[in-house]
Every structure is written in C-alpha cells, then in structure tokens.
Amino acid sequence: MPLLEPEPDALRPPGPGAPAPDRVPDRLAAGTPAGLRAGLTELLGAEKVLWKVSDLVRYATDASPYRFVPQVVVVAEDIDDVSAVLSYAHGMQREVVFRAAGTSLNGQAQGEDILVDVRRHWAGTEVLDGGRRARIRPGTTVLRANAALARHGRILGPDPASALACTLGGVVANNASGMTAGTTRNSYRTLSSLTFVLPTGTVVDTADPLADEELARAEPALCRGLLEIKREIEADPELVARIRAKYEIKNTTGYRLDAYLDGTTPVEILRGLMVGSEGTLGFISEVVFDTLPLDRELTTALLFFPSLTAAAAAVPLFNEAGALAVELMDGNTLRASVSVAGVPADWADLPKDTAALLVEFRAPDAAGRAECERRAAGVLAGLELVAPVASVTNAFTADPAVISGYWKARKAFVTAVGGARAPGTTLITEDFAVPPSRLAEACAALLVLQAEHGFDAAVAGHAAHGNLHFLLAFDASVPADVDRYAAFMEDFCRLTVERFDGSLKAEHSTGRNMAPFLELEWGPRATELMWRTKRTVDPDLVLAPRILLDRDPRAHLRGLKTIPRVEAVADPCIECGFCEPVCPSRDLTTTPRQRIALRREMMRQLPGAPVLDGLLDAYGYDAVDTCAGDSACALACPVGIDTGALMKDFRHRRHGPREERVAALAAKRFRGVEAAARLAVAAAGAITARIGDGPLTAVTAAARKAVRPDLVPRWLPQIPGAAARTLPATRRADAAAVYYPACVNRIFGGPRGDRGPSLPQAVVAVSQRAGRPVWIPGDVTGTCCATIWHSKGYEDGTRVMANRIVEAAWGWTAGGRLPLVVDASSCTLGIAHEVVPYLTGDNRALHAELRVVDSVVWAAEELLPRLEVLSTVGSAVLHPTCSMHRLDDVAALRAVAGACADEVSVPHDAGCCAFAGDRGMLHPELTAAATAREAAEVTSRPYEAHLSANRMCEVGMERATGHAYSSVLLALERATRPAKP
C-alpha cells in the first residue's frame, strides 16, 4: 500500500440522509450487466465500452429536467462502430440513443439502454468553396465551426445561445435556431446536404447523385412507405395548407412534415425529416451547410421598458426597421443576470415589472451601419423608455465590448436564472412561439397563467420571431409540486394551441416533455402520419423511443430529476454543459458537469449503499486527481461555478494530518526545498545526458508506487535542465518595477539545447533596452506564489507561503509604489488573486495596495512602445495559458508575439494543456488528452517559433507537439537585440 494513501472516506457524504426517489438502484452498483458488457466489448473492443456505475451516472444527465440512467455507454469512433451498435441492437432487441454535447433541454440526450457518445471522436470542419459551404462533423461545436468560417467572412445560419458547447449534430437533429435564425436561417433552410446512418445501418449521403438508386436497392420498403405518405399528404389540400401554415412561425414540434412537400424523392424527403428528428430516425454523421455572410458592422442597444407587454409591443417596430435580432428579457431575467461577470450590479435593483429588448442591426460596411443607425433612431424616437437604474443608457452603440456584454447577459438566461433558483429545485425550460404580431398578447396571457399556478417564471426569447422561453423551478421530490407543474403544463399547452395557434416547441425540439402534447398541437391526422413515419424508417423502434413520440399522457412527468444539495460552490449548477468543451479532462475521465452530477448521486444514496461505494471508489481518480484545477470551467460557466476549486477542496479533505504537516513544513523551509529541487534537476540532466532517460523513468515509477502516484512526479524526457545558480545582477536605484522570477524559472532552465539567454536575463535585458529597468530583490529565493500548495489542496502550506510572498512583495515594492512584474502567468494569477483567501487581515490590506503585473503585459504596455524591432521570424504559433485567459492577458500575448513574427497564429483548438505545474508529470495521460486537438492543429503546418508564457505549459506543449516552446519574452529579446559590432 502506498505510504500516503488518501483518506478513503473523506468524500463520503455526511449524515444519514434519506434516499431520493430517483436514486440509482442497487442492481446497477456493479455497472453494466455482464452479458451486455461482454457482447459490446467483443464487438467494439474494451476501450469503447464504458460500464462502471460512475460512467453510467455521469452520462445520465443533460441540460434538461430529466434523468435516465443508461445500461451502458459506447464511445463510437466512426460509422463502422455506429453501424455495429445498431446491428447489435436489432439482433438483441435493444434501444439506442445518440448523445453529443448533452446541452439539450428536453431529455433528448438521455437513454435507458445503450447510449452512444458521438462527441469525442466526431469533431472537424472543412471549409469549402472559399467559405460559401462547410462540411462539419457532428461533434463540432457551433463556436468552433464559426471560428473556421470567420477568416472567410462567413457564418452558419443557426446561432443558438449555447454555441460554446452545443454541437452541430445536435443543432441539426433538433433544428435549433437561436437569436437570428428565425424560419429562414435555420438548419432546415441552410443545409446543403447531410450524411446519415439509418437504423438498419444503411448509410445515405444526400449529395450523392446515385443516393436514391442505392437507397431503393437497400431499403425498398422504406422508399415505398415514404412515397405513400407523401401521396396521402399531397392528396389532402386542407392538410397541405395546415402544414405550410405551421411552419410560417418557428416550429420544432414533431417530425418536419413539410419534408414530404419539399422533397420529391425518398432521399430528399429523408434529408428534410432528419432535421429536427432528435436521433429517432437515424444518426447524422456529417452535414454540409450553405453559409451566410458575416456582417461585422453592428449597432446594438439594450432598451428598458416599464413592463413585459410594453417591450413586446415595440418588437414589430424594430422588425419593420430591419433589425436582425430583437431579444426580450423580463425583470426576473435581468436581475438574475447580475451573477454574470460584467453585468452592472445595479440591475439587482430593477423594479419587478421592468423588461428590456436587446436590439441589433448588422451591416456589411460602415455605410450600411449608418443607414441602420438612422432607422434605429427613427424607432427609438417614438418609444417610451425607462431608466430605473444608473447603468441604463437606452442608446445604440457600436462599441464591441459593450455589445459583447449585452449578449453575454442574454445568452446566460438559462444558467443565470437557474443558478438563482431555490436550492433543491428542478429547472424547466419551456420554448414556444406565436405569430410575432400577437407577442404582446401572449406575454400578458403567460403572466396571468403563471400567477394562477403560483409560479414566478423568468421570461426571455427571440421576440423578433415570436419565440419565447420561460423558466420554472419546482421540487421534483415533492409530489404536490410535480402536480402543480403538471397542471400548469396542461393549461399552458392549451393556451398556446387553442388561443394562439402557436408552436409548443419553437426551437428546442419536442423532447420528452412535449411528446404527450403532440396531438394537441397537430391533431390526430398529422400525428398519426408522424407515427407512420417512425414505423416506416425504424420499424423495430430501435432509435430513441419515447423521446419524440409517446402516447403516455403523463410521459413528461416520468424521470424528473431531483437536485440534492451539494457543496455551495457547485450547488447552483443546472448541468447545462457549457463547461465541458474547455475542460482538459473531458476526453480522459470526467467533466465539471459530470463531477457535480456524480456528487449529487452520492447525496441521493443511503449510507453504505453499494452504488455509493462504487461512486466513491472511482471518484478519486476520475474526478479529483485528473482535474487540472485550471478553473477554465469558471470562465465558461455563465455564473462562474469553479469546479476546479471544488476539486482542490476535495484534495484537501483526502489529506491525512501527516501529509498536511509535511506540506506545511516544505513551505516553511522552501529555500532549502528550492535549492534541492534545482540540484536534483541538474543531477537528472547529467544522468540523462550520460545514460538516457530510462533509469530515471524506472526510479520515479517505483517511487510513485511506494508513495502515491498523485504525489510523486514521473520523469519525462521533455523536462528542461536546471536554471543558473544565480539571477542576473540588477540595481534598485531607478528601477521602474520589481521583477519577481517565479520559482519555476529559478529551478528550471529553457528548452534542452537552448543557448540562452535565460528568461530572467531576457526580461532584465529587454527592460533595460526599453529604458524601463527592473530590479530583482536579493531574497526572492525561498518565496513562491503558493500555487504549489494551493493546487494540491494543502491549506496550511498555502497559508504559510501566501502570507510570506505578500509581506515580501510589500517590502520589495516600497508599499506598492512599484509594480511587481511576474514572469509566469500562473504565478501572476496566484499572487494577484488566489492567495487572498489565505491571508491574514493585515496582509489582505497590504495585498490591496500591490500592483501585480504579468511580464507579458509589462512587455506589451511598457516595453514595446519604447523598443525598436530589428528582426522578426516568419511565423509563430501561440499557446495562451489558462491563467492568461483568467487574467484577460491574451491580447497582450498576441501583441508581443506580433512584434516578433510576421504571422501569428492561435490554434482554434487551443486550451488548457493540463500540465498545471506538475500535474502533467503526475498524470501524463491528462496532458496528452488535453492537448491532442491543439497539437494536431499545430503540427499540421510548420512554424518558426512556438511561444507561450509559462515554463511548465511550454514543457507540456513540447511533449504534445514535439516542438520546443519558449517564452514570448525570449522572442522579444531576440527581436530587439542590437547586432554585434
């Protein structure tokens, strides 16, 4: 047994508790049933079959109020895997649900049998025809696809608020639209072609000229059935008129019946039916979109009105003026948005009835924007607006930062309101549409209905298209509360259909919560045609049963998830999944959403339950150890939930007293620890130079087994040699700043084979060259930013070092009169922000006076304007660190690199490298997974320089790409170095 094994019960939930009604049953404690696991393993290989109870639980949630636990999870790599799973399901009479991002709001990404993950291996965008079209794989996020198109001045039509996380496969399968797509820019209207796999395994590419001929040969009954339904529809003029009318406004309820009218052949009909089919007719393996122009000239306003109905009444005026987006937000939404970074704090004081419209005009050029501004001003002049708090301007602006802030608040609707809900309540997101001319009337009716049922919902939506969303919260563990929700839904659906002839689902697709009301909206004739469509394409009902079609009138009440209380930092989570694309461990173990979902399941279980034991056994490695702790999730989460901080707290809880004492002692005696570390690195360099890396690899492997893998680093060939024993000589007199070389740069040198200068030498030289000399204090040795302890959850050690560095920095900077320049971005973040909770009251006061500046920002703001660039390289690729993103310093990195290279690139897939100090040596598999996509992008073409701003991140990227990364400050020193005489 390792000497420092984690405390086994440290994360066990406290107290007896009561079992939740939706807890995972004991029969799943061993995970996937043995026969099912064996069959799929033999078919696909063990690495593609996830079977532990923790795997099943972490996939049993999406952004919806539902929760269904799969029997097994398959991670499909290609179409062959998908076809194999479908064939197995047919033969064994099983069911299959496909899941990509899991941002769906109606339970579409959940299944009760075989769940197939089609995110991990299904990303990629190929730009075609100069950007006029794009071929996209289903696991690609909308944000990533648009990034590839932006350089060509193009963009996709669908623009859902979840673009950061949602994938194109899900967007098409749900016909998700968003703020501007309406009925003309959505997937149905902008898809050029798609490739899909039918339930039988037949693959259809709708762009293939021979597709119909091949489909007729492979699936004759299917072709006959589709054409028969088409003939029946076309023979009924009243039904034809009804179908056309239903799609004059946004509508994703049921199957897209106008596909039978728009398509002339079986393949064309299927092409339309697949859009919005929610994975019930086939698996969409590839899509080709016709793209749209990216109009970059914007004029945008956030306009405040005294009431929701007053705001809704103004919508037609902006529609007529040509606004591309008109978004509605009620008072509840606006007030909840205060939790979003950058939203004015005084919105919390907005009156209850206040509402706002976010209005945006877009144009291709300045002249077009001027015309938009003229039309907007004409509408504005006739409105009666209010300014109930000081931050309200009620004015149009072209300022990108202001516009970005407005949209950030709007896109955070679900998460911000959800985060502000009462603890323990389940969040329901409804989505309906009415004719835009009746929007104000619908808003008034909705407010009355909410009051009748005791709800105070938040309302927002795409008002330009008559599409509203509202959020309800109730306790799914209380039957009376579920009944209240059920009664509301009955009345709401009848109101929408019978009074407004509206769409019960405008863009979120039918899902589980609207399937029982399908016939209410469409009537028996059209609904039966939808059932016939399902039986024609999927006669064995293999794909996603009960997700779009369900005859059970209470199906929307089945599988509602309870939300047990968890740690305060994570409790607001609504499991939306926005955090997942930025998580370094997403392709290795778990994501932030899954870490929280697993924790909630622990709270649902009784003490001693076998499911609880299974979850705890897996949680240490899957959740705690393989979390990089970079807190990138907090940036992606609209309400700033920092799951990384929670995992650090869990690390602390798992420490025994002896381990905490050792860590604190290391902090107290860090001068000796630092010297020993530098000597060890130097000795290791000498050993590897003589006999290679093998012996050190073996020694560290043995030590990891003896002590603990999460404490002893593994030797990696990319580890650099030792830094110089002494730092450059500097003078305090006339110094423009205090320069603090981080301990990582005092221990490790540059890349192997690099001839220098060292990073400290470069910073000193380039600062002197710019006339802004820096001073390195003589007693920096033995100090640290405290990240070494903080990242591992050693609270006593963190406290020791946090107070030491602040006290030292206060003296070095003469009480904050000089800036403290730090040469590692993670250390800048540590000293500037992360040490604060660990400081004494007196030292917090000292810290408040310090000016902590990253060396890249120092270079961009203080040095570049005073330097002459004498030589540049042709191209450079950057790795912005996660700390730089948290500090908002990426622009400075680009600026400095731009002075050193003629061409500067940041990979679209750049993210946290997960090296995280030494975590990349503790768990190299984490860094390998985290950097795989970025490395593939970097190595797809040559660059003359590979630059970053943190030594260990540079090591991680060298390991990932095979190219030596170095600090951008070294590049700046070379670019401005005078030629030798």
Side-chain angles (χ1 to χ4, degrees), residues 76 124 151 170 187 192 335 391 467 554 570 629 816 818 916:
R151 66 182 65 175
S187 295
S192 173
R335 288 188 294 276
S391 65
N467 177 195
R554 292 180 62 82
L818 291 177

Side-chain angles (χ1 to χ4, degrees), residues 490-529:
E490 287 283 344
D491 290 348
F492 161 70
C493 291
R494 294 198 176 278
L495 172 74
T496 302
V497 172
E498 295 172 359
R499 179 169 170 181
F500 295 102
D501 192 20
S503 306
L504 292 174
K505 283 296 177 185
E507 63 175 0
H508 293 168
S509 223
T510 314
R512 297 177 182 273
N513 75 327
M514 210 50 75
F517 302 98
L518 184 63
E519 187 169 328
L520 173 66
E521 175 174 339
W522 276 98
R525 171 83 169 112
T527 302
E528 187 54 37
L529 288 172

Side-chain angles (χ1 to χ4, degrees), residues 452-479:
E452 288 177 356
H453 289 274
F455 286 110
D456 184 18
V459 180
H462 317 308
H465 310 292
N467 177 195
L468 289 180
H469 306 311
F470 61 92
L471 303 180
L472 305 174
F474 66 95
D475 191 336
S477 67
V478 178

